[in-house]
Amino acid sequence: MAESEEEVDVLVQRVVKDINNAFKRNPNIDEIGLIPCPEVRYNRSPIVLVENKLGVESWCVKFLLPYVHNKLLLYKQRKQWLDREALVDITCTLLLLNPDFTTAWNVRKELLQCGVLNPEKDLYLVKLALSKHPKSPETWIHRRWVLQWLQKECSPSEQELKDHAEPREDAARRQCERLQRALQEEMRVCADAAGRYPSNYNAWSHRIWVLQNMAKGNLKVLHDELSSTRLWVSMHVSDHSGFHYRQHLLKALARELSQVGETELHPTKQPNGESTAGASDDNHHNDVIPQLFHEEMELCTDLIESYPGHETLWCHRRHVFYLWHQWRREHLQGAGSQSPPLTHTDVLLSEEPCDDSSTSQTMDVDCVLDGSKHGSYTQDTKRLKRGPLLPHPALPSEHTFVSKILTGCRSTEQNRFAIAYRKWLDSVIGQ
Amino acid sequence: MCQTGTQVKDVVIKPDAPNTLLLDKHADYIAAYGSKKDDYEYTLSEYLRMSGIYWGLTVMDLMGQLSRMNRRNLQNLEDKVVDYVKGLQQEDGSFAGDKWGEIDTRFSFCAVATLALLGKLDAINMDKAVEFVLSCMNFDGGFGCRPGSESHAGQIYCCTGFLSITGQLHQVNADLLGWWLCERQLPSGGLNGRPEKLPDVCYSWWVLASLKIIGRIHWIDKAKLRNFILACQDEETGGFADRPGDMVDPFHTLFGVAGLSLLGDEQIKPVNPVFCMPEDVLQRIGLQPDLLS
């Protein structure tokens, strides 16, 4: 059935109106999708709203998209005028159908700059678009632009603070709460998208961007993220991006905590309201960092043993061990101005793990740790008499771990990865 | 505790998959591309149009079929292009993709590749540009989109290409990166872009070209890779898909053909691993970026 241009025009206007009405009727729409429905039905609205889900019947899309798309292009080429309201509606419709369409997002950036659009609305539109297209690069890029826009435009200026009656501390506190909420929302959006597509590079790199741009140096956020992603990665053992995020968190925590440890520790308030780790204990950072690495290696061991043959887990092990190895090197050679009193940990740490195994004290300690119990670090802890030992990953214990895996398991892939890990230890670490 | 085998993420190549190169079919596919597309599909892919022109032209040239494509006169935009690219460089040496400011090492590569083709590399702050890209180098020798980002074969291609154009390949740890890259090869012979991802023909380009740039292309099993790429052809329509049995498109067609060229297929023109353009085109303008040996 051939459609006249008038018929298409009427249809499109109706669909755009229906979509907008749906949002007005239900501001809690949290997911959009296509409903497979090839039969053309001019009399019925192709827009379906059920609870918080917005559906578009597929038959209308092939009319809708080219028409609306061409309208926007004509506007950009200055061949046809569209008023602001029309632009908002058209770009919204377009982006719900095809969020890779860069120009449509950029039109919305311009509208935002003019003050026609509310940035929160675009964050919402991005979130919806991601529910259907969790990878879409342009969508993530637009989200970052809006967030940066909000940061620039919405932080109160000195003059604004003077103008308002409320005291500065209240304004700062409200700002801090706003930031907290914004952070939580970003993590939620990232987590949703990560769950919708395996190893979602764009979702996880956005999450890192958020840490770097909205939570810089924020130890609490780093710790919270480490806790909250632990379960997630345990249930997504192939998700290389998820594990990489944890590597990033560890690296950031180690860096921040080390910096804190080297200066005189006075709790300071950061602009975001969070305290630095102004721990009363000078040795705090020296114990926390090894503890973090120890726990991560333990997690990695558990997962490797529970889920044989996952390359991601072995990559994670490489990276975590490397970070630990590097941190240990830096903190042996660095002339620590605030060297804490020697603990048992330090005795172990003071041994170069790369030395030939038979000579270093570390080796002796490790040999005392019964060979058959490697991997169960907590049992080893109890064997040593000099106070609480913090068992740490070391080259010899890693080799023992590999041997254990190789002798125990029959998965060919697991064996392959274990051998590759050993080769990596020898080539990269054991230089 | 013991299990007999985990499902490795990979494809299985069927015995009846294509195993010879169907160049004529691919040329027909590209030559006809776009002319039959209905409004909807054409619209959906509009944002890819410029890239699509590059993919189509390049693959046709590699196959010696450029004459079949329509020519258009391009105005002399050289200075405007240089100014535009220059204006995108940030204080830290990175490049934005456009005026809206997204930073990504892909744009560093696009910037220097563009300027190199125009002979105007001196228009930007080279030291800063290099400094930024190097700050994106990870512990595994790879590169991500921004400092601290996950290593990704596509980004690695962009960064090694960048370092080649800027004469900084000695900063790469070739053995370490080469090892990461050849670990992309799966039992099927195909290459993926990151651990535990499925193989994709376009990674035959991103990974292979990177290996060629850093002088480690012999670390890949070439025969198995060739086998995989050939299996991605569609015998009926022509063109290549991302993996055997999927729908073809010009993007994967280019990178399949380019990958085969890097592997030494004599029916295809030699391709430059940095620019992904025929070598003879670059020779004509005197552009020969460094490669490690």
Side-chain angles (χ1 to χ4, degrees):
Chain A
M1 190 201 303
E3 303 78 32
S4 70
E5 205 174 303
E6 268 163 20
E7 276 178 318
V8 176
D9 201 3
V10 165
L11 167 70
V12 166
Q13 283 186 43
R14 170 137 186 230
V15 172
V16 172
K17 196 159 72 89
D18 286 348
I19 290 177
N20 282 294
N21 285 339
F23 282 116
K24 282 187 191 127
R25 270 208 320 271
N26 184 352
N28 295 319
I29 293 174
D30 62 11
E31 198 182 313
I32 51 161
L34 267 185
I35 300 170
C37 177
E39 193 189 309
V40 176
R41 287 190 271 206
Y42 281 104
N43 312 329
R44 277 178 30 151
S45 173
I47 305 305
V48 178
L49 182 60
V50 175
E51 290 174 4
N52 292 335
K53 318 296 176 193
L54 180 65
V56 179
E57 288 179 355
S58 60
W59 64 264
C60 79
V61 174
K62 63 178 183 288
F63 304 119
L64 189 57
L65 188 65
Y67 184 91
V68 180
H69 176 273
N70 288 330
K71 252 200 152 149
L72 188 65
L73 282 188
L74 287 172
Y75 163 77
K76 287 295 284 181
Q77 291 162 349
R78 299 179 208 273
K79 288 177 184 167
Q80 199 180 86
W81 175 250
L82 283 172
D83 66 34
R84 284 170 171 181
E85 209 183 289
L87 276 175
V88 170
D89 290 347
I90 278 179
T91 51
C92 178
T93 304
L94 265 173
L95 290 165
L96 288 175
L97 295 173
N98 183 16
D100 290 326
F101 188 24
T102 318
T103 303
W105 285 122
N106 291 345
V107 166
R108 290 186 78 93
K109 290 182 181 75
E110 287 166 0
L111 290 168
L112 266 157
Q113 283 178 325
C114 295
V116 168
L117 266 180
N118 176 357
E120 301 290 335
K121 266 235 161 69
D122 264 43
L123 290 179
Y124 175 59
L125 182 60
V126 163
K127 191 172 171 177
L128 268 188
L130 289 172
S131 71
K132 193 161 150 272
H133 302 263
K135 283 202 300 174
S136 170
E138 289 303 320
T139 308
W140 289 108
I141 287 172
H142 186 73
R143 192 174 186 88
R144 284 193 277 281
W145 185 88
V146 174
L147 289 168
Q148 280 185 316
W149 171 259
L150 276 169
Q151 269 182 334
K152 270 188 306 204
E153 297 297 313
C154 297
S155 46
S157 63
E158 284 294 319
Q159 191 56 44
E160 277 177 330
L161 285 171
K162 284 194 189 113
D163 291 348
H164 283 103
E166 70 178 9
R168 182 167 300 208
E169 305 88 63
D170 286 348
R173 191 171 28 87
R174 274 198 307 115
Q175 167 83 334
C176 175
E177 281 163 6
R178 228 189 340 253
L179 187 60
Q180 279 293 89
R181 275 198 303 274
L183 267 174
Q184 278 165 11
E185 174 68 355
E186 288 315 297
M187 299 322 187
R188 203 162 23 235
V189 169
C190 289
D192 284 348
R196 290 196 158 99
Y197 189 86
S199 213
N200 190 334
Y201 188 92
N202 295 337
W204 289 102
S205 70
H206 180 80
R207 203 161 177 164
I208 289 178
W209 182 93
V210 169
L211 289 178
Q212 291 168 332
N213 290 274
M214 292 168 67
K216 209 168 171 62
N218 189 326
L219 284 162
K220 181 178 187 305
V221 169
L222 293 173
H223 275 297
D224 286 348
E225 282 289 278
L226 206 57
S227 311
S228 68
T229 53
R230 191 189 168 93
L231 181 61
W232 196 94
V233 300
S234 306
M235 298 197 299
H236 298 82
V237 294
S238 298
D239 203 303
H240 193 264
S241 300
F243 281 93
H244 172 266
Y245 184 68
R246 289 183 73 79
Q247 292 151 25
H248 177 87
L249 289 171
L250 282 171
K251 191 171 178 184
L253 274 165
R255 185 177 52 232
E256 295 298 327
L257 287 169
S258 300
Q259 278 171 7
V260 158
E262 266 149 36
T263 60
E264 278 299 310
L265 293 176
H266 297 296
T268 52
K269 277 253 183 281
Q270 295 194 342
N272 54 21
E274 288 299 322
S275 309
T276 56
S280 49
D281 182 7
D282 277 349
N283 303 337
H284 184 68
H285 78 283
N286 246 10
D287 291 336
V288 170
I289 296 173
Q291 176 74 21
L292 287 173
F293 281 110
H294 162 69
E295 281 171 4
E296 196 68 19
M297 289 297 275
E298 251 198 349
L299 172 66
C300 196
T301 298
D302 284 343
L303 293 174
I304 283 177
E305 288 173 347
S306 305
Y307 303 102
H310 280 276
E311 193 184 0
T312 297
L313 298 173
W314 288 96
C315 290
H316 190 58
R317 198 176 189 89
R318 284 189 199 180
H319 204 154
V320 175
F321 187 75
Y322 178 86
L323 285 170
W324 165 245
H325 176 74
Q326 215 184 21
W327 182 87
R328 202 163 36 165
R329 260 206 173 143
E330 280 165 20
H331 287 79
L332 293 180
Q333 288 157 8
S337 49
Q338 314 264 326
S339 307
L342 264 175
T343 64
H344 194 63
T345 313
D346 292 326
V347 173
L348 290 172
L349 289 175
S350 67
E351 295 301 325
E352 257 315 308
C354 313
D355 285 346
D356 189 62
S357 38
S358 53
T359 51
S360 72
Q361 185 180 332
T362 313
M363 279 318 300
D364 292 342
V365 173
D366 279 354
C367 288
V368 165
L369 307 176
D370 184 340
S372 70
K373 289 206 168 70
H374 278 279
S376 47
Y377 293 110
T378 34
Q379 280 176 284
D380 298 335
T381 313
K382 294 174 191 152
R383 297 171 65 101
L384 291 150
K385 289 165 192 165
R386 273 183 66 186
L389 163 67
L390 195 64
H392 66 289
L395 209 55
S397 58
E398 286 302 290
H399 277 289
T400 312
F401 173 72
V402 170
S403 303
K404 179 193 174 198
I405 295 289
L406 287 174
T407 51
C409 211
R410 282 188 227 111
S411 156
T412 37
E413 288 78 30
Q414 180 86 318
N415 285 5
R416 184 159 63 91
F417 296 135
I419 289 169
Y421 181 62
R422 185 165 60 191
K423 185 176 166 192
W424 180 84
L425 286 171
D426 291 338
S427 328
V428 177
I429 302 291
Q431 293 288 337
Chain B
M1 178 62 89
C2 287
Q3 298 178 22
T4 44
T6 319
Q7 232 103 0
V8 170
K9 275 166 197 58
D10 195 6
V11 300
V12 175
I13 299 178
K14 294 188 186 152
D16 61 352
N19 57 10
T20 54
L21 183 54
L22 311 162
L23 272 184
D24 289 338
K25 280 233 160 250
H26 303 317
D28 290 343
Y29 168 68
I30 297 290
Y33 190 82
S35 59
K36 285 180 240 160
K37 272 171 107 46
D38 67 36
D39 237 356
Y40 171 63
E41 269 190 56
Y42 194 77
T43 302
L44 253 191
S45 57
E46 199 272 347
Y47 70 100
L48 295 172
R49 200 71 65 228
M50 281 302 294
S51 306
I53 291 172
Y54 158 69
W55 299 327
L57 288 175
T58 305
V59 74
M60 288 300 262
D61 195 4
L62 284 174
M63 298 190 291
Q65 301 280 323
L66 194 57
S67 53
R68 289 173 72 175
M69 301 296 268
N70 289 325
R71 288 175 181 275
R72 271 180 210 189
N73 284 324
L74 293 169
Q75 297 164 319
N76 190 354
L77 298 166
E78 199 173 290
D79 289 337
K80 287 188 183 167
V81 169
V82 172
D83 286 341
Y84 179 72
V85 170
K86 188 171 164 167
L88 292 172
Q89 187 166 29
Q90 310 295 302
E91 270 179 39
D92 64 358
S94 65
F95 282 84
D98 58 24
K99 67 181 182 185
W100 302 108
E102 171 79 359
I103 305 296
D104 190 312
T105 47
R106 287 182 295 154
F107 307 138
S108 299
F109 172 68
C110 290
V112 300
T114 302
L115 294 176
L117 288 167
L118 296 172
K120 295 276 166 61
L121 269 175
D122 52 359
I124 54 165
N125 184 334
M126 189 66 84
D127 291 339
K128 271 293 191 186
V130 170
E131 191 186 302
F132 176 77
V133 169
L134 290 177
S135 76
C136 300
M137 194 187 296
N138 297 318
F139 92 107
D140 49 19
F143 296 83
C145 56
R146 286 178 289 275
S149 296
E150 190 185 348
S151 292
H152 180 293
Q155 309 289 152
I156 288 170
Y157 164 75
C158 291
C159 292
T160 51
F162 171 96
L163 293 169
S164 162
I165 291 169
T166 56
Q168 299 289 317
L169 275 175
H170 55 276
Q171 311 257 23
V172 171
N173 186 333
D175 285 339
L176 192 59
L177 178 55
W179 188 4
W180 190 92
L181 287 168
C182 71
E183 281 185 326
R184 299 302 104 242
Q185 188 158 37
L186 294 166
S188 65
L191 305 177
N192 62 19
R194 285 179 293 146
E196 286 205 74
K197 298 283 280 184
L198 286 173
D200 183 326
V201 123
C202 67
Y203 288 110
S204 308
W205 175 257
W206 312 125
V207 173
L208 209 59
S210 303
L211 281 168
K212 180 78 181 179
I213 292 169
I214 64 172
R216 304 287 188 275
I217 198 171
H218 52 286
W219 288 10
I220 279 280
D221 185 331
K222 290 184 179 178
K224 285 189 93 176
L225 177 57
R226 180 182 164 84
N227 201 43
F228 174 84
I229 300 175
L230 291 177
C232 294
Q233 298 173 105
D234 187 318
E235 281 170 320
E236 284 171 23
T237 61
F240 289 73
D242 59 354
R243 51 191 76 94
D246 281 356
M247 270 215 5
V248 302
D249 61 53
F251 173 85
H252 290 97
T253 303
L254 167 61
F255 295 119
V257 169
L260 289 171
S261 171
L262 272 185
L263 290 174
D265 191 301
E266 285 172 354
Q267 294 175 82
I268 308 168
K269 283 189 189 178
V271 70
N272 181 276
V274 172
F275 289 93
C276 191
M277 290 165 68
E279 284 283 20
D280 59 12
V281 170
L282 294 170
Q283 270 159 24
R284 219 163 56 216
I285 59 175
L287 203 48
Q288 294 286 262
D290 299 332
L291 304 179
L292 292 178
S293 50

